[in-house]
């Protein structure tokens, strides 16, 4: 019985010391992670810049009623401050605002090339949200994604600008006058129909192919 109590006390002590070691190890790991994240926070804070140029006046006029774009752009330009939780919350908000960009796209820009660029932009934003929520944040990857999101947003704006420019390209010289003259002639002659092409005469070979010989009188052997 005496030895049994001694064994129980030894086991209890071993468990107690083991728990203390585990707690100490967890606290040390937490402190190490916090120090790493403090240095990572400094790197992210220094590089959290989305240097997207403003759109030109003609594009701005086309997207003036696109509230979802305005809200997304405003969130992108506002830099969070404070702890990593502020940057994580900002990434979460950007994901939500990015997913709303497909809503109420102006008719002029509601084209496959615009939707494709929006999808590409949202992919990068979701990747940023994923990496910034890792326990030990890979700062190089986050900084790289910030640059990629800047590039995708700029490319989207450039695509809109290109579509405006293409819509303003004048028709070839004389094309508009020709179309106007043709419309005037048709209005003056409502019954006018395009002249059909004259049929060409068959060639000798075609005549031979289309000739059907008539049966002759039967011959007796």
């Amino acid at each position: 019985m005496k030895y049994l109590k001694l064994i129980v006390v030894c086991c209890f002590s071993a468990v107690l010391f083991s728990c203390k070691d585990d707690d100490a190890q967890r606290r040390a790991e937490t402190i190490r992670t916090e120090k790493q994240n403090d240095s990572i926070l400094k790197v992210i804070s220094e590089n959290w810049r989305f240097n997207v140029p403003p759109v030109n006046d003609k594009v701005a006029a086309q997207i003036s009623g696109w509230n979802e774009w305005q809200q997304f752009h405003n969130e992108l330009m506002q830099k969070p401050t404070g702890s990593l939780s502020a940057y994580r919350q900002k990434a979460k908000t950007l994901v939500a605002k990015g997913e709303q960009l497909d809503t109420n796209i102006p008719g002029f820009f509601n084209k496959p090339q615009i939707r494709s660029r929006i999808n590409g932009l949202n992919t990068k934003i979701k990747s940023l949200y994923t990496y910034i929520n890792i326990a030990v944040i890979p700062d190089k990857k986050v900084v790289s994604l910030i640059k990629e999101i800047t590039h995708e947003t700029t490319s989207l704006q450039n695509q809109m600008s290109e579509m405006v420019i293409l819509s303003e390209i004048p028709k070839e010289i004389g094309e508009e006058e020709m179309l106007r003259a043709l419309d005037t002639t048709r209005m003056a002659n409502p019954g006018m129909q395009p002249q059909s092409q004259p049929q060409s005469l068959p060639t000798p070979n075609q005549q031979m192919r289309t000739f059907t010989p008539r049966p002759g009188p039967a011959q007796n052997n």
Side-chain angles (χ1 to χ4, degrees):
M1 188 68 179
K2 181 179 179 180
Y3 292 107
L4 180 61
K5 289 182 179 179
L6 181 61
I7 293 174
V8 170
V9 170
C10 291
C11 291
F12 180 77
S13 299
V15 171
L16 182 61
F17 285 121
S18 176
C19 292
K20 288 183 177 179
D21 289 342
D22 290 342
D23 290 339
Q25 184 176 358
R26 282 195 294 268
R27 285 196 298 269
E29 184 68 26
T30 301
I31 293 172
R32 184 164 54 252
T33 300
E34 289 176 351
K35 288 182 178 179
Q36 287 179 336
N37 283 341
D38 286 342
S39 61
I40 289 171
L41 174 60
K42 183 179 179 181
V43 173
I44 293 176
S45 179
E46 290 175 351
N47 291 274
W48 192 279
R49 293 187 302 273
F50 298 95
N51 297 320
V52 179
V55 296
N56 59 47
D57 293 341
K58 293 181 179 179
V59 173
Q62 292 284 353
I63 64 175
S64 60
W66 192 6
N67 295 329
E68 289 75 14
W69 172 261
Q70 310 299 338
Q71 294 173 8
F72 169 78
H73 188 268
N74 291 338
E75 286 292 341
L76 197 66
M77 294 298 104
Q78 293 174 3
K79 180 179 177 179
T81 57
S83 63
L84 280 173
S85 60
Y87 287 88
R88 286 167 172 161
Q89 180 59 44
K90 172 62 71 171
K92 182 178 181 180
T93 303
L94 286 175
V95 170
K97 297 298 182 182
E99 289 178 343
Q100 293 174 1
L101 286 177
D102 273 338
T103 307
N104 297 325
I105 300 177
F108 183 84
F109 293 126
N110 195 2
K111 303 293 188 299
Q113 55 267 41
I114 294 296
R115 291 185 176 276
S116 175
R117 293 191 181 276
I118 290 175
N119 290 336
L121 174 60
N122 282 331
T123 299
K124 300 297 183 181
I125 295 173
K126 290 175 181 178
S127 295
L128 174 64
Y129 174 76
T130 298
Y131 281 104
I132 207 171
N133 278 281
I134 296 176
V136 179
I137 302 172
D139 53 345
K140 292 182 179 179
K141 183 62 178 178
V142 169
V143 171
S144 175
L145 284 167
I146 290 172
K147 295 178 180 178
E148 291 174 16
I149 291 171
T150 301
H151 173 74
E152 292 291 338
T153 307
T154 304
S155 297
L156 174 58
Q157 293 186 168
N158 289 342
Q159 181 68 62
M160 291 190 286
S161 179
E162 180 180 345
M163 292 174 67
V164 171
I165 293 173
L166 290 175
S167 70
E168 295 177 343
I169 295 178
K171 296 179 180 180
E172 294 183 3
I173 298 176
E175 180 181 356
E176 189 172 351
E177 289 77 3
M178 181 185 67
L179 293 174
R180 189 162 49 245
L182 182 59
D183 289 340
T184 302
T185 304
R186 288 176 176 170
M187 290 178 64
N189 302 277
M192 184 180 67
Q193 298 292 335
Q195 294 182 354
S196 59
Q197 295 290 335
Q199 296 182 354
S200 58
L201 295 175
T203 63
N205 290 335
Q206 291 173 332
Q207 291 177 349
M208 292 181 64
R209 286 198 299 268
T210 57
F211 174 74
T212 303
R214 295 180 179 179
Q219 295 184 0
N220 298 324
N221 292 333

